[in-house]
Amino acid sequence: MSGLDIPWRLHAVVPRSAANGPGVRYVVWSQGCALGCPGCFNPETHPVSGAGLERTVGDVAGEALAGAAHLEGVTLTGGEPLEQPAPVAAFCAELRARSGLSVIVLTGFSRAEIEADPARSAAVADADVVIAGRYNARLRLAQGLRGSSNKEYWMRTGRYTADDLAAVPELEITIAGDASVTFTGMHAPGGEF
Ligand code: SF4
């Protein structure tokens, strides 16, 4: 099976967002998380089976790359992206090979947990920034893409600084042509990661 054929269970995709990292970004919420942080604001993303939408890596990558001219990068969040490390690795490798899009990964795993696991390490190999660690409701922050202050910025390239991440808007409200309203960002309903 080619990397592009790998199935990927997703909760949602937003093709353009300005509140999930620097610049305008394509955002992927994965489906499934077993980490169980008390106070998690995204419980609907936890079930692994019978929920979400299954797509292939190639399908999602093709959609992101089609909009690349208007994008700064891609953000992967969840749910827990690194509970599906194979599609994340294949997706990020495809973006790296075919575009200059940056990659930010928000995960509940700590940097040490990622580095101790070859599959998770491979999944973040092409990421510019990993924001790592369990959400801790007692340390709620909801700024700079960190749901709580214990979460660590792991800068894997020099593309962004902590100031770049701190400047990310905390809430984005999108009103579509059919009058449906979407909230994203750290202060959105379900935005605490
Ligand atoms: S905060 Fe993130 S890592 Fe923690 S339970 Fe919720 S989705 Fe999982």
Side-chain angles (χ1 to χ4, degrees), residues 107-142:
T107 174
F109 289 107
S110 68
R111 177 173 176 171
E113 289 173 320
I114 296 168
E115 291 181 321
D117 182 283
R120 288 182 208 133
S121 294
V124 302
D126 286 311
D128 295 287
V129 180
V130 179
I131 301 176
R134 303 290 191 279
Y135 173 64
N136 184 331
R138 287 172 299 174
L139 301 175
R140 180 181 182 278
L141 182 64

mmCIF file of all heavy atoms in Angstrom, residues 107-142:
data_model
loop_
_atom_site.group_PDB
_atom_site.id
_atom_site.type_symbol
_atom_site.label_atom_id
_atom_site.label_comp_id
_atom_site.label_asym_id
_atom_site.label_seq_id
_atom_site.Cartn_x
_atom_site.Cartn_y
_atom_site.Cartn_z
ATOM 1 N N THR A 107 -0.420 17.791 20.122
ATOM 2 C CA THR A 107 -0.586 16.428 20.625
ATOM 3 C C THR A 107 -0.646 16.408 22.144
ATOM 4 O O THR A 107 -0.041 17.266 22.811
ATOM 5 C CB THR A 107 0.579 15.539 20.144
ATOM 6 O OG1 THR A 107 0.468 14.248 20.771
ATOM 7 C CG2 THR A 107 1.936 16.124 20.490
ATOM 8 N N GLY A 108 -1.329 15.411 22.681
ATOM 9 C CA GLY A 108 -1.351 15.215 24.118
ATOM 10 C C GLY A 108 -0.151 14.432 24.628
ATOM 11 O O GLY A 108 0.107 14.397 25.839
ATOM 12 N N PHE A 109 0.591 13.794 23.730
ATOM 13 C CA PHE A 109 1.800 13.091 24.151
ATOM 14 C C PHE A 109 2.904 14.101 24.465
ATOM 15 O O PHE A 109 3.006 15.156 23.814
ATOM 16 C CB PHE A 109 2.293 12.133 23.058
ATOM 17 C CG PHE A 109 1.427 10.921 22.872
ATOM 18 C CD1 PHE A 109 0.610 10.794 21.765
ATOM 19 C CD2 PHE A 109 1.430 9.899 23.820
ATOM 20 C CE1 PHE A 109 -0.200 9.681 21.595
ATOM 21 C CE2 PHE A 109 0.628 8.777 23.659
ATOM 22 C CZ PHE A 109 -0.198 8.668 22.551
ATOM 23 N N SER A 110 3.738 13.770 25.430
ATOM 24 C CA SER A 110 4.882 14.623 25.754
ATOM 25 C C SER A 110 6.000 14.383 24.733
ATOM 26 O O SER A 110 6.019 13.377 24.019
ATOM 27 C CB SER A 110 5.401 14.301 27.151
ATOM 28 O OG SER A 110 5.968 12.996 27.157
ATOM 29 N N ARG A 111 6.945 15.302 24.707
ATOM 30 C CA ARG A 111 8.095 15.120 23.809
ATOM 31 C C ARG A 111 8.815 13.806 24.128
ATOM 32 O O ARG A 111 9.200 13.067 23.218
ATOM 33 C CB ARG A 111 9.049 16.306 23.949
ATOM 34 C CG ARG A 111 10.298 16.158 23.110
ATOM 35 C CD ARG A 111 11.132 17.416 23.127
ATOM 36 N NE ARG A 111 12.376 17.220 22.395
ATOM 37 C CZ ARG A 111 13.242 18.180 22.092
ATOM 38 N NH1 ARG A 111 13.001 19.417 22.464
ATOM 39 N NH2 ARG A 111 14.352 17.920 21.421
ATOM 40 N N ALA A 112 8.980 13.488 25.407
ATOM 41 C CA ALA A 112 9.668 12.242 25.783
ATOM 42 C C ALA A 112 8.899 11.023 25.297
ATOM 43 O O ALA A 112 9.496 10.034 24.824
ATOM 44 C CB ALA A 112 9.851 12.191 27.305
ATOM 45 N N GLU A 113 7.581 11.064 25.396
ATOM 46 C CA GLU A 113 6.775 9.928 24.914
ATOM 47 C C GLU A 113 6.883 9.778 23.401
ATOM 48 O O GLU A 113 6.850 8.665 22.873
ATOM 49 C CB GLU A 113 5.310 10.126 25.316
ATOM 50 C CG GLU A 113 5.051 9.963 26.801
ATOM 51 C CD GLU A 113 3.625 10.334 27.173
ATOM 52 O OE1 GLU A 113 3.089 11.332 26.634
ATOM 53 O OE2 GLU A 113 3.053 9.643 28.027
ATOM 54 N N ILE A 114 6.986 10.893 22.708
ATOM 55 C CA ILE A 114 7.122 10.831 21.242
ATOM 56 C C ILE A 114 8.493 10.274 20.873
ATOM 57 O O ILE A 114 8.609 9.363 20.052
ATOM 58 C CB ILE A 114 6.916 12.230 20.630
ATOM 59 C CG1 ILE A 114 5.483 12.711 20.889
ATOM 60 C CG2 ILE A 114 7.209 12.208 19.131
ATOM 61 C CD1 ILE A 114 5.265 14.191 20.584
ATOM 62 N N GLU A 115 9.530 10.798 21.529
ATOM 63 C CA GLU A 115 10.886 10.372 21.174
ATOM 64 C C GLU A 115 11.140 8.914 21.536
ATOM 65 O O GLU A 115 12.011 8.270 20.945
ATOM 66 C CB GLU A 115 11.908 11.286 21.856
ATOM 67 C CG GLU A 115 11.881 12.690 21.267
ATOM 68 C CD GLU A 115 12.894 13.632 21.902
ATOM 69 O OE1 GLU A 115 13.084 13.559 23.137
ATOM 70 O OE2 GLU A 115 13.478 14.440 21.166
ATOM 71 N N ALA A 116 10.376 8.377 22.490
ATOM 72 C CA ALA A 116 10.564 6.976 22.894
ATOM 73 C C ALA A 116 9.848 5.994 21.972
ATOM 74 O O ALA A 116 10.019 4.781 22.113
ATOM 75 C CB ALA A 116 10.053 6.782 24.329
ATOM 76 N N ASP A 117 9.076 6.494 21.039
ATOM 77 C CA ASP A 117 8.256 5.630 20.189
ATOM 78 C C ASP A 117 8.611 5.883 18.715
ATOM 79 O O ASP A 117 8.379 6.998 18.219
ATOM 80 C CB ASP A 117 6.774 5.931 20.436
ATOM 81 C CG ASP A 117 5.868 5.031 19.618
ATOM 82 O OD1 ASP A 117 5.723 5.264 18.402
ATOM 83 O OD2 ASP A 117 5.314 4.089 20.207
ATOM 84 N N PRO A 118 9.156 4.884 18.002
ATOM 85 C CA PRO A 118 9.588 5.130 16.620
ATOM 86 C C PRO A 118 8.465 5.598 15.704
ATOM 87 O O PRO A 118 8.685 6.471 14.845
ATOM 88 C CB PRO A 118 10.123 3.758 16.184
ATOM 89 C CG PRO A 118 10.516 3.075 17.457
ATOM 90 C CD PRO A 118 9.533 3.552 18.489
ATOM 91 N N ALA A 119 7.268 5.061 15.862
ATOM 92 C CA ALA A 119 6.171 5.457 14.971
ATOM 93 C C ALA A 119 5.762 6.907 15.223
ATOM 94 O O ALA A 119 5.529 7.675 14.279
ATOM 95 C CB ALA A 119 4.976 4.528 15.162
ATOM 96 N N ARG A 120 5.675 7.293 16.494
ATOM 97 C CA ARG A 120 5.317 8.686 16.792
ATOM 98 C C ARG A 120 6.448 9.632 16.344
ATOM 99 O O ARG A 120 6.187 10.726 15.848
ATOM 100 C CB ARG A 120 5.067 8.872 18.290
ATOM 101 C CG ARG A 120 3.774 8.236 18.769
ATOM 102 C CD ARG A 120 3.551 8.507 20.261
ATOM 103 N NE ARG A 120 2.771 7.434 20.840
ATOM 104 C CZ ARG A 120 3.048 6.803 21.976
ATOM 105 N NH1 ARG A 120 4.074 7.173 22.708
ATOM 106 N NH2 ARG A 120 2.282 5.824 22.407
ATOM 107 N N SER A 121 7.692 9.209 16.534
ATOM 108 C CA SER A 121 8.819 10.046 16.085
ATOM 109 C C SER A 121 8.765 10.257 14.586
ATOM 110 O O SER A 121 8.989 11.379 14.094
ATOM 111 C CB SER A 121 10.146 9.374 16.458
ATOM 112 O OG SER A 121 10.304 9.331 17.852
ATOM 113 N N ALA A 122 8.451 9.198 13.848
ATOM 114 C CA ALA A 122 8.356 9.320 12.389
ATOM 115 C C ALA A 122 7.211 10.247 12.001
ATOM 116 O O ALA A 122 7.297 10.985 11.015
ATOM 117 C CB ALA A 122 8.153 7.937 11.773
ATOM 118 N N ALA A 123 6.150 10.227 12.788
ATOM 119 C CA ALA A 123 4.977 11.051 12.457
ATOM 120 C C ALA A 123 5.280 12.547 12.561
ATOM 121 O O ALA A 123 4.658 13.345 11.864
ATOM 122 C CB ALA A 123 3.805 10.687 13.367
ATOM 123 N N VAL A 124 6.211 12.928 13.417
ATOM 124 C CA VAL A 124 6.528 14.355 13.567
ATOM 125 C C VAL A 124 7.827 14.730 12.858
ATOM 126 O O VAL A 124 8.290 15.865 12.987
ATOM 127 C CB VAL A 124 6.583 14.780 15.059
ATOM 128 C CG1 VAL A 124 5.248 14.487 15.749
ATOM 129 C CG2 VAL A 124 7.753 14.143 15.786
ATOM 130 N N ALA A 125 8.397 13.804 12.096
ATOM 131 C CA ALA A 125 9.697 14.059 11.461
ATOM 132 C C ALA A 125 9.661 15.265 10.540
ATOM 133 O O ALA A 125 10.663 15.964 10.386
ATOM 134 C CB ALA A 125 10.151 12.815 10.695
ATOM 135 N N ASP A 126 8.520 15.530 9.906
ATOM 136 C CA ASP A 126 8.422 16.646 8.970
ATOM 137 C C ASP A 126 7.661 17.832 9.565
ATOM 138 O O ASP A 126 7.242 18.730 8.816
ATOM 139 C CB ASP A 126 7.743 16.182 7.682
ATOM 140 C CG ASP A 126 8.681 15.320 6.845
ATOM 141 O OD1 ASP A 126 9.831 15.738 6.632
ATOM 142 O OD2 ASP A 126 8.271 14.222 6.428
ATOM 143 N N ALA A 127 7.465 17.839 10.864
ATOM 144 C CA ALA A 127 6.758 18.957 11.509
ATOM 145 C C ALA A 127 7.739 20.091 11.824
ATOM 146 O O ALA A 127 8.887 19.847 12.199
ATOM 147 C CB ALA A 127 6.080 18.490 12.792
ATOM 148 N N ASP A 128 7.274 21.328 11.671
ATOM 149 C CA ASP A 128 8.076 22.478 12.077
ATOM 150 C C ASP A 128 7.954 22.722 13.571
ATOM 151 O O ASP A 128 8.920 23.110 14.228
ATOM 152 C CB ASP A 128 7.608 23.724 11.317
ATOM 153 C CG ASP A 128 7.865 23.602 9.836
ATOM 154 O OD1 ASP A 128 9.035 23.693 9.439
ATOM 155 O OD2 ASP A 128 6.906 23.366 9.080
ATOM 156 N N VAL A 129 6.751 22.523 14.098
ATOM 157 C CA VAL A 129 6.495 22.733 15.523
ATOM 158 C C VAL A 129 5.603 21.612 16.026
ATOM 159 O O VAL A 129 4.628 21.241 15.366
ATOM 160 C CB VAL A 129 5.767 24.072 15.782
ATOM 161 C CG1 VAL A 129 5.514 24.271 17.282
ATOM 162 C CG2 VAL A 129 6.551 25.246 15.213
ATOM 163 N N VAL A 130 5.938 21.065 17.189
ATOM 164 C CA VAL A 130 5.055 20.141 17.896
ATOM 165 C C VAL A 130 4.706 20.804 19.224
ATOM 166 O O VAL A 130 5.602 21.269 19.944
ATOM 167 C CB VAL A 130 5.733 18.777 18.143
ATOM 168 C CG1 VAL A 130 4.800 17.836 18.902
ATOM 169 C CG2 VAL A 130 6.170 18.147 16.820
ATOM 170 N N ILE A 131 3.428 20.874 19.532
ATOM 171 C CA ILE A 131 3.000 21.420 20.815
ATOM 172 C C ILE A 131 2.536 20.218 21.623
ATOM 173 O O ILE A 131 1.529 19.580 21.296
ATOM 174 C CB ILE A 131 1.922 22.485 20.616
ATOM 175 C CG1 ILE A 131 2.517 23.599 19.728
ATOM 176 C CG2 ILE A 131 1.456 23.040 21.965
ATOM 177 C CD1 ILE A 131 1.559 24.681 19.351
ATOM 178 N N ALA A 132 3.328 19.890 22.657
ATOM 179 C CA ALA A 132 3.277 18.554 23.246
ATOM 180 C C ALA A 132 2.907 18.573 24.720
ATOM 181 O O ALA A 132 3.337 19.455 25.466
ATOM 182 C CB ALA A 132 4.641 17.880 23.080
ATOM 183 N N GLY A 133 2.123 17.566 25.120
ATOM 184 C CA GLY A 133 1.828 17.354 26.530
ATOM 185 C C GLY A 133 0.337 17.302 26.792
ATOM 186 O O GLY A 133 -0.465 17.859 26.038
ATOM 187 N N ARG A 134 -0.037 16.623 27.904
ATOM 188 C CA ARG A 134 -1.449 16.500 28.270
ATOM 189 C C ARG A 134 -2.056 17.860 28.598
ATOM 190 O O ARG A 134 -1.384 18.729 29.160
ATOM 191 C CB ARG A 134 -1.608 15.610 29.520
ATOM 192 C CG ARG A 134 -1.029 14.213 29.436
ATOM 193 C CD ARG A 134 -1.799 13.306 28.501
ATOM 194 N NE ARG A 134 -1.329 11.928 28.686
ATOM 195 C CZ ARG A 134 -0.220 11.421 28.129
ATOM 196 N NH1 ARG A 134 0.535 12.171 27.342
ATOM 197 N NH2 ARG A 134 0.138 10.162 28.360
ATOM 198 N N TYR A 135 -3.319 18.020 28.288
ATOM 199 C CA TYR A 135 -4.058 19.192 28.758
ATOM 200 C C TYR A 135 -4.258 19.067 30.258
ATOM 201 O O TYR A 135 -4.687 18.026 30.758
ATOM 202 C CB TYR A 135 -5.414 19.271 28.040
ATOM 203 C CG TYR A 135 -6.309 20.352 28.587
ATOM 204 C CD1 TYR A 135 -5.953 21.679 28.488
ATOM 205 C CD2 TYR A 135 -7.509 20.031 29.219
ATOM 206 C CE1 TYR A 135 -6.761 22.679 29.004
ATOM 207 C CE2 TYR A 135 -8.333 21.023 29.731
ATOM 208 C CZ TYR A 135 -7.953 22.345 29.618
ATOM 209 O OH TYR A 135 -8.755 23.335 30.135
ATOM 210 N N ASN A 136 -3.928 20.137 31.000
ATOM 211 C CA ASN A 136 -4.112 20.168 32.448
ATOM 212 C C ASN A 136 -5.063 21.318 32.775
ATOM 213 O O ASN A 136 -4.683 22.487 32.681
ATOM 214 C CB ASN A 136 -2.765 20.368 33.152
ATOM 215 C CG ASN A 136 -2.899 20.319 34.659
ATOM 216 O OD1 ASN A 136 -3.939 20.668 35.227
ATOM 217 N ND2 ASN A 136 -1.836 19.892 35.321
ATOM 218 N N ALA A 137 -6.305 20.966 33.144
ATOM 219 C CA ALA A 137 -7.340 21.991 33.337
ATOM 220 C C ALA A 137 -6.964 22.982 34.433
ATOM 221 O O ALA A 137 -7.375 24.147 34.402
ATOM 222 C CB ALA A 137 -8.674 21.319 33.659
ATOM 223 N N ARG A 138 -6.150 22.559 35.419
ATOM 224 C CA ARG A 138 -5.765 23.472 36.495
ATOM 225 C C ARG A 138 -4.771 24.524 36.001
ATOM 226 O O ARG A 138 -4.556 25.537 36.660
ATOM 227 C CB ARG A 138 -5.147 22.689 37.656
ATOM 228 C CG ARG A 138 -6.176 21.889 38.460
ATOM 229 C CD ARG A 138 -5.495 21.002 39.461
ATOM 230 N NE ARG A 138 -4.617 20.049 38.784
ATOM 231 C CZ ARG A 138 -3.789 19.202 39.387
ATOM 232 N NH1 ARG A 138 -3.689 19.218 40.695
ATOM 233 N NH2 ARG A 138 -3.064 18.364 38.695
ATOM 234 N N LEU A 139 -4.142 24.256 34.858
ATOM 235 C CA LEU A 139 -3.165 25.190 34.293
ATOM 236 C C LEU A 139 -3.693 25.804 33.005
ATOM 237 O O LEU A 139 -2.939 26.140 32.101
ATOM 238 C CB LEU A 139 -1.838 24.451 34.032
ATOM 239 C CG LEU A 139 -1.185 23.821 35.255
ATOM 240 C CD1 LEU A 139 0.051 23.020 34.850
ATOM 241 C CD2 LEU A 139 -0.803 24.884 36.278
ATOM 242 N N ARG A 140 -5.022 25.948 32.941
ATOM 243 C CA ARG A 140 -5.656 26.445 31.724
ATOM 244 C C ARG A 140 -5.026 27.753 31.258
ATOM 245 O O ARG A 140 -4.811 28.672 32.039
ATOM 246 C CB ARG A 140 -7.147 26.668 31.983
ATOM 247 C CG ARG A 140 -7.915 27.196 30.791
ATOM 248 C CD ARG A 140 -9.384 27.401 31.143
ATOM 249 N NE ARG A 140 -10.157 27.854 30.003
ATOM 250 C CZ ARG A 140 -10.232 29.110 29.590
ATOM 251 N NH1 ARG A 140 -9.566 30.044 30.242
ATOM 252 N NH2 ARG A 140 -10.966 29.436 28.543
ATOM 253 N N LEU A 141 -4.709 27.798 29.958
ATOM 254 C CA LEU A 141 -4.082 28.974 29.372
ATOM 255 C C LEU A 141 -4.881 29.455 28.159
ATOM 256 O O LEU A 141 -5.279 30.606 28.081
ATOM 257 C CB LEU A 141 -2.640 28.632 28.965
ATOM 258 C CG LEU A 141 -1.817 29.766 28.373
ATOM 259 C CD1 LEU A 141 -1.595 30.869 29.402
ATOM 260 C CD2 LEU A 141 -0.474 29.240 27.877
ATOM 261 N N ALA A 142 -5.104 28.547 27.203
ATOM 262 C CA ALA A 142 -5.883 28.865 25.993
ATOM 263 C C ALA A 142 -5.299 30.044 25.233
ATOM 264 O O ALA A 142 -6.001 30.953 24.823
ATOM 265 C CB ALA A 142 -7.361 29.097 26.343
#
